[in-house]
Amino acid sequence: MRILGIDPGIAIVGFGFVDKQGSKVIPVQYGCIQTEAHTPEEERLLHVYEGMKQLIEKYKPDAVALEKLFFNRNVTTAMTVSQARGVLVLAAVQSGLPVAEYTPMQVKQAIVGYGKAEKQQVQEMVRMFLKLQAVPKPDDVADALAVAICHAHSYTLNSKLNEVLRR
């Protein structure tokens, strides 16, 4: 199963493709889609959407996992990032892909085992888990890979639970 993890944003969208093979999670490709500051918002959203569509077509994931947005201060930023998240979900759904969402706390719990882990702990665990030479940069990329790993673990658990419940 190939999973696309996404850390939504308007300036930087982190993405990470991983393959779930048995109990292993193997990195396939990761990086980010960036938009230029001071570019009209609608152009930035189009760039994010088209970039994601191209990645989906090239790497053909079976599922998409996104980090749920959490903002406690800047409403303007929240609205802009929400719009970017919307075009990312649209790209996935138009491609016929199921979309799962995870809170930052769920991702941290899945990666580190502690829902209030520090960002650096999560990034280092992503590096170790995927056997990478270095922590992926920018931070949004490591976050996207963490979401993909979280989904790989959650999907396996949910599949087993559903199997038991069907009996």
Side-chain angles (χ1 to χ4, degrees):
M1 171 182 214
R2 179 160 293 170
I3 301 163
L4 166 57
I6 301 174
D7 182 31
I10 189 69
I12 301 173
V13 175
F15 68 84
F17 290 89
V18 298
D19 283 348
K20 171 97 169 104
Q21 297 175 352
S23 62
K24 294 181 182 179
V25 180
I26 301 159
V28 175
Q29 183 60 275
Y30 51 90
C32 60
I33 300 168
Q34 295 182 304
T35 64
E36 293 293 322
H38 310 297
T39 302
E41 193 173 296
E42 59 275 13
E43 289 180 29
R44 294 176 93 178
L45 292 169
L46 180 62
H47 181 73
V48 166
Y49 171 79
E50 289 177 340
M52 187 53 60
K53 285 292 283 186
Q54 288 173 2
L55 288 167
I56 289 170
E57 287 172 20
K58 182 173 183 178
Y59 294 102
K60 300 183 182 352
D62 300 301
V64 175
L66 288 106
E67 187 171 88
K68 282 187 180 178
L69 299 180
F70 172 77
F71 288 95
N72 59 359
R73 290 200 181 102
N74 191 334
V75 175
T76 303
T77 301
M79 294 300 288
T80 305
V81 175
S82 293
Q83 289 178 318
R85 188 180 179 288
V87 300
L88 292 163
V89 170
L90 177 63
V93 172
Q94 279 185 333
S95 300
L97 299 172
V99 177
E101 300 178 290
Y102 299 94
T103 65
M105 189 174 276
Q106 287 173 310
V107 174
K108 290 175 181 181
Q109 180 70 39
I111 302 300
V112 180
Y114 177 60
K116 295 184 180 180
E118 297 293 324
K119 194 171 197 66
Q120 293 78 13
Q121 289 176 292
V122 175
Q123 293 172 348
E124 183 59 22
M125 289 301 292
V126 166
R127 184 194 70 75
M128 291 170 48
F129 196 79
L130 297 177
K131 298 178 175 72
L132 303 173
Q133 293 289 319
V135 171
K137 295 292 179 192
D139 292 351
D140 312 77
V141 178
D143 292 347
L145 286 167
V147 173
I149 295 166
C150 175
H151 185 67
H153 292 298
S154 298
Y155 176 81
T156 301
L157 178 62
N158 289 337
S159 295
K160 289 181 181 177
L161 284 172
N162 287 335
E163 195 176 296
V164 168
L165 292 173
R166 278 188 229 125
R167 292 181 190 168

Short mmCIF file of all heavy atoms in Angstrom, two decimals, residues 33-94:
data_model
loop_
_atom_site.label_atom_id
_atom_site.label_comp_id
_atom_site.label_asym_id
_atom_site.label_seq_id
_atom_site.Cartn_x
_atom_site.Cartn_y
_atom_site.Cartn_z
N ILE A 33 6.05 21.41 -1.92
CA ILE A 33 5.56 22.32 -2.95
C ILE A 33 5.64 23.69 -2.30
O ILE A 33 5.09 23.89 -1.21
CB ILE A 33 4.10 22.01 -3.33
CG1 ILE A 33 3.96 20.59 -3.87
CG2 ILE A 33 3.57 23.04 -4.33
CD1 ILE A 33 2.51 20.13 -3.99
N GLN A 34 6.34 24.62 -2.94
CA GLN A 34 6.49 25.95 -2.37
C GLN A 34 5.84 26.99 -3.27
O GLN A 34 5.83 26.84 -4.49
CB GLN A 34 7.96 26.30 -2.18
CG GLN A 34 8.63 25.39 -1.15
CD GLN A 34 10.07 25.75 -0.92
OE1 GLN A 34 10.87 25.80 -1.85
NE2 GLN A 34 10.40 26.02 0.34
N THR A 35 5.29 28.01 -2.62
CA THR A 35 4.74 29.13 -3.37
C THR A 35 5.45 30.40 -2.91
O THR A 35 5.90 30.50 -1.76
CB THR A 35 3.22 29.29 -3.16
OG1 THR A 35 2.96 29.60 -1.79
CG2 THR A 35 2.47 28.02 -3.56
N GLU A 36 5.52 31.36 -3.79
CA GLU A 36 6.21 32.61 -3.50
C GLU A 36 5.32 33.55 -2.70
O GLU A 36 4.14 33.72 -3.02
CB GLU A 36 6.61 33.29 -4.81
CG GLU A 36 7.67 32.54 -5.61
CD GLU A 36 9.02 32.51 -4.90
OE1 GLU A 36 9.40 33.51 -4.27
OE2 GLU A 36 9.68 31.46 -4.99
N ALA A 37 5.92 34.17 -1.69
CA ALA A 37 5.22 35.21 -0.94
C ALA A 37 4.90 36.36 -1.89
O ALA A 37 5.57 36.53 -2.91
CB ALA A 37 6.08 35.69 0.22
N HIS A 38 3.92 37.13 -1.56
CA HIS A 38 3.50 38.30 -2.35
C HIS A 38 2.92 37.93 -3.71
O HIS A 38 2.72 38.80 -4.55
CB HIS A 38 4.65 39.32 -2.51
CG HIS A 38 5.31 39.66 -1.21
ND1 HIS A 38 4.65 40.28 -0.18
CD2 HIS A 38 6.56 39.43 -0.76
CE1 HIS A 38 5.48 40.43 0.84
NE2 HIS A 38 6.64 39.92 0.52
N THR A 39 2.67 36.64 -3.93
CA THR A 39 1.95 36.20 -5.13
C THR A 39 0.48 36.20 -4.76
O THR A 39 0.13 35.86 -3.63
CB THR A 39 2.41 34.77 -5.51
OG1 THR A 39 3.81 34.78 -5.73
CG2 THR A 39 1.70 34.26 -6.75
N PRO A 40 -0.40 36.56 -5.69
CA PRO A 40 -1.84 36.52 -5.36
C PRO A 40 -2.24 35.14 -4.83
O PRO A 40 -1.79 34.11 -5.34
CB PRO A 40 -2.52 36.84 -6.69
CG PRO A 40 -1.51 37.63 -7.46
CD PRO A 40 -0.17 37.06 -7.05
N GLU A 41 -3.09 35.17 -3.82
CA GLU A 41 -3.50 33.94 -3.15
C GLU A 41 -4.07 32.90 -4.11
O GLU A 41 -3.78 31.72 -4.00
CB GLU A 41 -4.53 34.28 -2.07
CG GLU A 41 -4.80 33.16 -1.11
CD GLU A 41 -5.69 33.62 0.03
OE1 GLU A 41 -5.26 34.48 0.81
OE2 GLU A 41 -6.81 33.10 0.12
N GLU A 42 -4.89 33.34 -5.06
CA GLU A 42 -5.50 32.39 -5.99
C GLU A 42 -4.44 31.69 -6.84
O GLU A 42 -4.57 30.51 -7.16
CB GLU A 42 -6.57 33.05 -6.86
CG GLU A 42 -6.10 34.20 -7.72
CD GLU A 42 -6.08 35.57 -7.02
OE1 GLU A 42 -6.21 35.64 -5.79
OE2 GLU A 42 -5.92 36.56 -7.74
N GLU A 43 -3.36 32.39 -7.18
CA GLU A 43 -2.27 31.76 -7.94
C GLU A 43 -1.52 30.75 -7.08
O GLU A 43 -1.11 29.70 -7.57
CB GLU A 43 -1.31 32.83 -8.47
CG GLU A 43 -1.89 33.67 -9.59
CD GLU A 43 -0.92 34.73 -10.10
OE1 GLU A 43 0.31 34.51 -10.02
OE2 GLU A 43 -1.40 35.78 -10.56
N ARG A 44 -1.34 31.08 -5.81
CA ARG A 44 -0.67 30.16 -4.90
C ARG A 44 -1.50 28.88 -4.74
O ARG A 44 -0.96 27.77 -4.75
CB ARG A 44 -0.45 30.82 -3.54
CG ARG A 44 0.53 31.98 -3.60
CD ARG A 44 0.67 32.67 -2.28
NE ARG A 44 1.78 32.07 -1.55
CZ ARG A 44 2.19 32.50 -0.36
NH1 ARG A 44 1.55 33.47 0.26
NH2 ARG A 44 3.23 31.93 0.23
N LEU A 45 -2.81 29.04 -4.59
CA LEU A 45 -3.70 27.88 -4.45
C LEU A 45 -3.67 27.01 -5.71
O LEU A 45 -3.64 25.78 -5.62
CB LEU A 45 -5.11 28.33 -4.13
CG LEU A 45 -5.32 28.96 -2.75
CD1 LEU A 45 -6.69 29.60 -2.65
CD2 LEU A 45 -5.10 27.94 -1.65
N LEU A 46 -3.67 27.64 -6.86
CA LEU A 46 -3.59 26.89 -8.12
C LEU A 46 -2.28 26.12 -8.21
O LEU A 46 -2.26 24.96 -8.60
CB LEU A 46 -3.73 27.84 -9.31
CG LEU A 46 -3.66 27.19 -10.70
CD1 LEU A 46 -4.80 26.18 -10.89
CD2 LEU A 46 -3.69 28.26 -11.79
N HIS A 47 -1.18 26.75 -7.81
CA HIS A 47 0.13 26.09 -7.83
C HIS A 47 0.15 24.87 -6.90
O HIS A 47 0.66 23.81 -7.27
CB HIS A 47 1.22 27.10 -7.43
CG HIS A 47 2.59 26.54 -7.46
ND1 HIS A 47 3.26 26.25 -8.62
CD2 HIS A 47 3.43 26.18 -6.44
CE1 HIS A 47 4.45 25.75 -8.34
NE2 HIS A 47 4.57 25.68 -7.02
N VAL A 48 -0.43 25.03 -5.71
CA VAL A 48 -0.51 23.91 -4.75
C VAL A 48 -1.34 22.77 -5.33
O VAL A 48 -0.94 21.61 -5.31
CB VAL A 48 -1.09 24.40 -3.39
CG1 VAL A 48 -1.50 23.23 -2.51
CG2 VAL A 48 -0.08 25.29 -2.68
N TYR A 49 -2.50 23.12 -5.88
CA TYR A 49 -3.39 22.12 -6.46
C TYR A 49 -2.72 21.37 -7.62
O TYR A 49 -2.71 20.14 -7.65
CB TYR A 49 -4.68 22.80 -6.94
CG TYR A 49 -5.58 21.88 -7.74
CD1 TYR A 49 -6.39 20.96 -7.10
CD2 TYR A 49 -5.59 21.93 -9.12
CE1 TYR A 49 -7.21 20.10 -7.81
CE2 TYR A 49 -6.40 21.07 -9.86
CZ TYR A 49 -7.20 20.17 -9.20
OH TYR A 49 -7.99 19.32 -9.92
N GLU A 50 -2.17 22.11 -8.57
CA GLU A 50 -1.55 21.48 -9.73
C GLU A 50 -0.33 20.65 -9.34
O GLU A 50 -0.11 19.56 -9.87
CB GLU A 50 -1.17 22.54 -10.77
CG GLU A 50 -2.38 23.14 -11.46
CD GLU A 50 -2.03 24.26 -12.44
OE1 GLU A 50 -0.92 24.84 -12.34
OE2 GLU A 50 -2.88 24.54 -13.30
N GLY A 51 0.44 21.15 -8.38
CA GLY A 51 1.60 20.39 -7.91
C GLY A 51 1.19 19.07 -7.29
O GLY A 51 1.80 18.03 -7.53
N MET A 52 0.13 19.11 -6.49
CA MET A 52 -0.34 17.88 -5.84
C MET A 52 -0.91 16.91 -6.87
O MET A 52 -0.67 15.70 -6.79
CB MET A 52 -1.37 18.20 -4.76
CG MET A 52 -1.76 17.01 -3.93
SD MET A 52 -0.37 16.08 -3.18
CE MET A 52 0.42 17.32 -2.16
N LYS A 53 -1.66 17.41 -7.83
CA LYS A 53 -2.20 16.53 -8.88
C LYS A 53 -1.06 15.82 -9.63
O LYS A 53 -1.15 14.62 -9.90
CB LYS A 53 -3.06 17.33 -9.87
CG LYS A 53 -4.43 17.73 -9.35
CD LYS A 53 -5.37 16.56 -9.15
CE LYS A 53 -5.92 16.09 -10.48
NZ LYS A 53 -6.94 15.03 -10.33
N GLN A 54 -0.01 16.55 -9.95
CA GLN A 54 1.13 15.95 -10.65
C GLN A 54 1.80 14.87 -9.80
O GLN A 54 2.15 13.80 -10.30
CB GLN A 54 2.15 17.02 -11.02
CG GLN A 54 1.70 17.94 -12.13
CD GLN A 54 2.66 19.09 -12.38
OE1 GLN A 54 3.70 19.19 -11.74
NE2 GLN A 54 2.30 19.97 -13.30
N LEU A 55 1.97 15.13 -8.51
CA LEU A 55 2.58 14.15 -7.62
C LEU A 55 1.72 12.89 -7.50
O LEU A 55 2.23 11.77 -7.54
CB LEU A 55 2.80 14.75 -6.23
CG LEU A 55 3.92 15.78 -6.14
CD1 LEU A 55 3.84 16.54 -4.82
CD2 LEU A 55 5.28 15.10 -6.29
N ILE A 56 0.41 13.08 -7.40
CA ILE A 56 -0.50 11.93 -7.30
C ILE A 56 -0.44 11.10 -8.58
O ILE A 56 -0.38 9.87 -8.52
CB ILE A 56 -1.93 12.41 -6.99
CG1 ILE A 56 -2.01 12.91 -5.55
CG2 ILE A 56 -2.95 11.30 -7.24
CD1 ILE A 56 -3.31 13.63 -5.19
N GLU A 57 -0.42 11.76 -9.72
CA GLU A 57 -0.35 11.04 -11.00
C GLU A 57 0.98 10.29 -11.14
O GLU A 57 1.01 9.16 -11.63
CB GLU A 57 -0.52 12.02 -12.17
CG GLU A 57 -1.95 12.52 -12.32
CD GLU A 57 -2.08 13.63 -13.35
OE1 GLU A 57 -1.19 13.78 -14.21
OE2 GLU A 57 -3.09 14.37 -13.28
N LYS A 58 2.06 10.89 -10.68
CA LYS A 58 3.38 10.27 -10.83
C LYS A 58 3.60 9.09 -9.86
O LYS A 58 4.09 8.04 -10.25
CB LYS A 58 4.48 11.31 -10.61
CG LYS A 58 5.87 10.77 -10.80
CD LYS A 58 6.92 11.85 -10.75
CE LYS A 58 8.30 11.27 -11.02
NZ LYS A 58 9.33 12.30 -11.01
N TYR A 59 3.21 9.26 -8.58
CA TYR A 59 3.53 8.25 -7.57
C TYR A 59 2.38 7.33 -7.21
O TYR A 59 2.56 6.36 -6.49
CB TYR A 59 4.10 8.93 -6.32
CG TYR A 59 5.44 9.56 -6.61
CD1 TYR A 59 5.55 10.93 -6.80
CD2 TYR A 59 6.58 8.79 -6.74
CE1 TYR A 59 6.77 11.52 -7.10
CE2 TYR A 59 7.81 9.36 -7.04
CZ TYR A 59 7.88 10.72 -7.22
OH TYR A 59 9.09 11.30 -7.52
N LYS A 60 1.19 7.61 -7.71
CA LYS A 60 0.02 6.74 -7.60
C LYS A 60 -0.21 6.15 -6.19
O LYS A 60 -0.16 4.93 -6.00
CB LYS A 60 0.11 5.63 -8.63
CG LYS A 60 0.17 6.16 -10.05
CD LYS A 60 0.19 5.06 -11.06
CE LYS A 60 0.29 5.50 -12.49
NZ LYS A 60 0.20 6.87 -12.86
N PRO A 61 -0.50 7.01 -5.22
CA PRO A 61 -0.78 6.48 -3.87
C PRO A 61 -2.13 5.77 -3.82
O PRO A 61 -2.98 5.97 -4.68
CB PRO A 61 -0.80 7.75 -3.00
CG PRO A 61 -1.24 8.82 -3.94
CD PRO A 61 -0.63 8.45 -5.28
N ASP A 62 -2.29 4.93 -2.80
CA ASP A 62 -3.56 4.24 -2.55
C ASP A 62 -4.42 4.99 -1.54
O ASP A 62 -5.62 4.75 -1.45
CB ASP A 62 -3.29 2.83 -2.01
CG ASP A 62 -2.50 2.01 -3.01
OD1 ASP A 62 -2.98 1.83 -4.14
OD2 ASP A 62 -1.39 1.56 -2.66
N ALA A 63 -3.78 5.86 -0.76
CA ALA A 63 -4.48 6.63 0.27
C ALA A 63 -3.72 7.91 0.55
O ALA A 63 -2.51 8.00 0.31
CB ALA A 63 -4.61 5.80 1.54
N VAL A 64 -4.46 8.88 1.08
CA VAL A 64 -3.87 10.17 1.45
C VAL A 64 -4.18 10.42 2.92
O VAL A 64 -5.30 10.18 3.37
CB VAL A 64 -4.45 11.31 0.58
CG1 VAL A 64 -3.95 12.67 1.05
CG2 VAL A 64 -4.10 11.09 -0.88
N ALA A 65 -3.18 10.90 3.65
CA ALA A 65 -3.36 11.27 5.05
C ALA A 65 -2.88 12.70 5.24
O ALA A 65 -1.80 13.06 4.78
CB ALA A 65 -2.57 10.32 5.95
N LEU A 66 -3.72 13.49 5.87
CA LEU A 66 -3.40 14.90 6.12
C LEU A 66 -3.39 15.19 7.61
O LEU A 66 -4.14 14.58 8.37
CB LEU A 66 -4.46 15.82 5.51
CG LEU A 66 -4.50 15.96 4.02
CD1 LEU A 66 -5.66 15.22 3.46
CD2 LEU A 66 -4.57 17.42 3.67
N GLU A 67 -2.57 16.17 7.96
CA GLU A 67 -2.61 16.64 9.33
C GLU A 67 -3.78 17.60 9.47
O GLU A 67 -3.97 18.48 8.63
CB GLU A 67 -1.30 17.34 9.70
CG GLU A 67 -1.23 17.71 11.16
CD GLU A 67 0.14 18.19 11.56
OE1 GLU A 67 0.40 19.40 11.45
OE2 GLU A 67 0.95 17.36 11.99
N LYS A 68 -4.59 17.39 10.51
CA LYS A 68 -5.69 18.33 10.79
C LYS A 68 -5.08 19.65 11.22
O LYS A 68 -4.05 19.68 11.90
CB LYS A 68 -6.58 17.80 11.92
CG LYS A 68 -7.53 16.73 11.50
CD LYS A 68 -8.48 16.41 12.63
CE LYS A 68 -9.45 15.34 12.21
NZ LYS A 68 -10.36 14.96 13.28
N LEU A 69 -5.74 20.72 10.83
CA LEU A 69 -5.24 22.04 11.17
C LEU A 69 -5.52 22.38 12.62
O LEU A 69 -6.58 22.07 13.14
CB LEU A 69 -5.88 23.10 10.27
CG LEU A 69 -5.60 22.94 8.77
CD1 LEU A 69 -6.29 24.06 8.00
CD2 LEU A 69 -4.12 22.93 8.48
N PHE A 70 -4.56 23.04 13.23
CA PHE A 70 -4.73 23.51 14.60
C PHE A 70 -4.14 24.90 14.69
O PHE A 70 -2.94 25.08 14.46
CB PHE A 70 -4.03 22.57 15.59
CG PHE A 70 -4.03 23.12 16.99
CD1 PHE A 70 -5.17 23.06 17.76
CD2 PHE A 70 -2.90 23.72 17.52
CE1 PHE A 70 -5.18 23.57 19.05
CE2 PHE A 70 -2.91 24.23 18.80
CZ PHE A 70 -4.05 24.15 19.57
N PHE A 71 -4.97 25.88 14.96
CA PHE A 71 -4.51 27.25 15.12
C PHE A 71 -5.12 27.82 16.38
O PHE A 71 -6.30 27.64 16.64
CB PHE A 71 -4.96 28.13 13.93
CG PHE A 71 -4.23 27.83 12.67
CD1 PHE A 71 -4.76 26.96 11.74
CD2 PHE A 71 -3.01 28.42 12.42
CE1 PHE A 71 -4.08 26.68 10.57
CE2 PHE A 71 -2.32 28.15 11.25
CZ PHE A 71 -2.86 27.28 10.32
N ASN A 72 -4.31 28.50 17.16
CA ASN A 72 -4.86 29.13 18.36
C ASN A 72 -4.67 30.63 18.36
O ASN A 72 -5.03 31.28 19.31
CB ASN A 72 -4.25 28.50 19.62
CG ASN A 72 -2.75 28.64 19.68
OD1 ASN A 72 -2.13 29.17 18.77
ND2 ASN A 72 -2.16 28.14 20.75
N ARG A 73 -4.09 31.19 17.30
CA ARG A 73 -3.85 32.63 17.30
C ARG A 73 -4.31 33.33 16.03
O ARG A 73 -5.29 34.05 16.05
CB ARG A 73 -2.35 32.89 17.50
CG ARG A 73 -1.90 32.56 18.91
CD ARG A 73 -0.60 33.25 19.25
NE ARG A 73 -0.22 32.87 20.60
CZ ARG A 73 0.70 31.98 20.89
NH1 ARG A 73 1.37 31.41 19.93
NH2 ARG A 73 0.97 31.68 22.13
N ASN A 74 -3.59 33.14 14.95
CA ASN A 74 -3.77 33.95 13.76
C ASN A 74 -4.89 33.42 12.86
O ASN A 74 -4.70 32.45 12.14
CB ASN A 74 -2.44 34.01 12.99
CG ASN A 74 -2.46 35.04 11.89
OD1 ASN A 74 -3.51 35.38 11.35
ND2 ASN A 74 -1.28 35.52 11.56
N VAL A 75 -6.04 34.07 12.90
CA VAL A 75 -7.20 33.63 12.12
C VAL A 75 -6.96 33.79 10.63
O VAL A 75 -7.36 32.94 9.83
CB VAL A 75 -8.46 34.42 12.55
CG1 VAL A 75 -9.65 34.07 11.67
CG2 VAL A 75 -8.78 34.15 14.00
N THR A 76 -6.24 34.84 10.23
CA THR A 76 -5.95 35.07 8.81
C THR A 76 -5.12 33.92 8.25
O THR A 76 -5.43 33.38 7.19
CB THR A 76 -5.20 36.41 8.61
OG1 THR A 76 -5.99 37.45 9.17
CG2 THR A 76 -4.95 36.68 7.14
N THR A 77 -4.10 33.52 8.98
CA THR A 77 -3.28 32.39 8.55
C THR A 77 -4.12 31.12 8.49
O THR A 77 -4.01 30.34 7.55
CB THR A 77 -2.09 32.19 9.51
OG1 THR A 77 -1.32 33.39 9.53
CG2 THR A 77 -1.22 31.03 9.09
N ALA A 78 -4.98 30.94 9.47
CA ALA A 78 -5.84 29.75 9.51
C ALA A 78 -6.72 29.67 8.27
O ALA A 78 -6.88 28.59 7.69
CB ALA A 78 -6.69 29.75 10.78
N MET A 79 -7.28 30.78 7.87
CA MET A 79 -8.15 30.79 6.69
C MET A 79 -7.37 30.44 5.42
O MET A 79 -7.83 29.64 4.61
CB MET A 79 -8.82 32.16 6.53
CG MET A 79 -9.79 32.49 7.65
SD MET A 79 -11.14 31.32 7.77
CE MET A 79 -12.05 31.76 6.32
N THR A 80 -6.20 31.03 5.26
CA THR A 80 -5.39 30.78 4.06
C THR A 80 -4.94 29.33 4.00
O THR A 80 -5.03 28.69 2.95
CB THR A 80 -4.17 31.73 4.04
OG1 THR A 80 -4.64 33.07 4.14
CG2 THR A 80 -3.39 31.58 2.76
N VAL A 81 -4.47 28.81 5.13
CA VAL A 81 -4.03 27.42 5.16
C VAL A 81 -5.21 26.48 4.95
O VAL A 81 -5.09 25.45 4.29
CB VAL A 81 -3.26 27.10 6.46
CG1 VAL A 81 -2.91 25.62 6.55
CG2 VAL A 81 -1.99 27.93 6.55
N SER A 82 -6.37 26.85 5.47
CA SER A 82 -7.58 26.03 5.26
C SER A 82 -7.94 25.95 3.78
O SER A 82 -8.35 24.91 3.29
CB SER A 82 -8.76 26.62 6.03
OG SER A 82 -8.55 26.49 7.41
N GLN A 83 -7.77 27.06 3.07
CA GLN A 83 -8.03 27.05 1.64
C GLN A 83 -7.04 26.13 0.92
O GLN A 83 -7.42 25.36 0.03
CB GLN A 83 -7.96 28.46 1.06
CG GLN A 83 -9.11 29.32 1.49
CD GLN A 83 -8.99 30.73 0.95
OE1 GLN A 83 -7.93 31.33 0.93
NE2 GLN A 83 -10.12 31.26 0.49
N ALA A 84 -5.78 26.19 1.31
CA ALA A 84 -4.77 25.31 0.71
C ALA A 84 -5.12 23.85 1.01
O ALA A 84 -5.04 22.99 0.13
CB ALA A 84 -3.38 25.65 1.24
N ARG A 85 -5.53 23.59 2.23
CA ARG A 85 -5.92 22.24 2.61
C ARG A 85 -7.09 21.77 1.75
O ARG A 85 -7.15 20.62 1.33
CB ARG A 85 -6.31 22.22 4.08
CG ARG A 85 -6.55 20.86 4.62
CD ARG A 85 -6.92 20.95 6.10
NE ARG A 85 -7.18 19.63 6.59
CZ ARG A 85 -8.24 18.90 6.29
NH1 ARG A 85 -9.17 19.37 5.49
NH2 ARG A 85 -8.39 17.68 6.77
N GLY A 86 -8.02 22.67 1.47
CA GLY A 86 -9.17 22.34 0.63
C GLY A 86 -8.77 21.92 -0.77
O GLY A 86 -9.30 20.93 -1.30
N VAL A 87 -7.82 22.63 -1.39
CA VAL A 87 -7.42 22.24 -2.74
C VAL A 87 -6.62 20.94 -2.71
O VAL A 87 -6.67 20.16 -3.66
CB VAL A 87 -6.66 23.36 -3.51
CG1 VAL A 87 -7.53 24.60 -3.65
CG2 VAL A 87 -5.32 23.67 -2.90
N LEU A 88 -5.93 20.66 -1.60
CA LEU A 88 -5.20 19.39 -1.47
C LEU A 88 -6.18 18.23 -1.36
O LEU A 88 -6.00 17.19 -2.00
CB LEU A 88 -4.27 19.44 -0.26
CG LEU A 88 -3.09 20.40 -0.39
CD1 LEU A 88 -2.48 20.70 0.97
CD2 LEU A 88 -2.06 19.86 -1.35
N VAL A 89 -7.23 18.41 -0.56
CA VAL A 89 -8.26 17.38 -0.43
C VAL A 89 -8.96 17.18 -1.77
O VAL A 89 -9.21 16.05 -2.20
CB VAL A 89 -9.27 17.73 0.69
CG1 VAL A 89 -10.47 16.80 0.66
CG2 VAL A 89 -8.59 17.68 2.05
N LEU A 90 -9.25 18.28 -2.46
CA LEU A 90 -9.89 18.20 -3.78
C LEU A 90 -9.04 17.39 -4.75
O LEU A 90 -9.55 16.51 -5.45
CB LEU A 90 -10.12 19.61 -4.33
CG LEU A 90 -10.71 19.69 -5.74
CD1 LEU A 90 -12.11 19.07 -5.79
CD2 LEU A 90 -10.75 21.14 -6.21
N ALA A 91 -7.73 17.64 -4.77
CA ALA A 91 -6.84 16.90 -5.67
C ALA A 91 -6.90 15.40 -5.36
O ALA A 91 -6.94 14.57 -6.28
CB ALA A 91 -5.40 17.41 -5.54
N ALA A 92 -6.93 15.05 -4.08
CA ALA A 92 -6.98 13.64 -3.69
C ALA A 92 -8.32 13.01 -4.07
O ALA A 92 -8.36 11.93 -4.68
CB ALA A 92 -6.76 13.51 -2.19
N VAL A 93 -9.40 13.67 -3.74
CA VAL A 93 -10.74 13.12 -3.99
C VAL A 93 -11.00 13.02 -5.50
O VAL A 93 -11.57 12.02 -5.96
CB VAL A 93 -11.81 13.97 -3.27
CG1 VAL A 93 -13.22 13.55 -3.68
CG2 VAL A 93 -11.65 13.85 -1.76
N GLN A 94 -10.57 14.00 -6.27
CA GLN A 94 -10.73 13.93 -7.73
C GLN A 94 -9.97 12.75 -8.31
O GLN A 94 -10.34 12.22 -9.36
CB GLN A 94 -10.25 15.22 -8.40
CG GLN A 94 -11.25 16.33 -8.35
CD GLN A 94 -10.76 17.54 -9.13
OE1 GLN A 94 -9.57 17.76 -9.29
NE2 GLN A 94 -11.71 18.32 -9.63
#
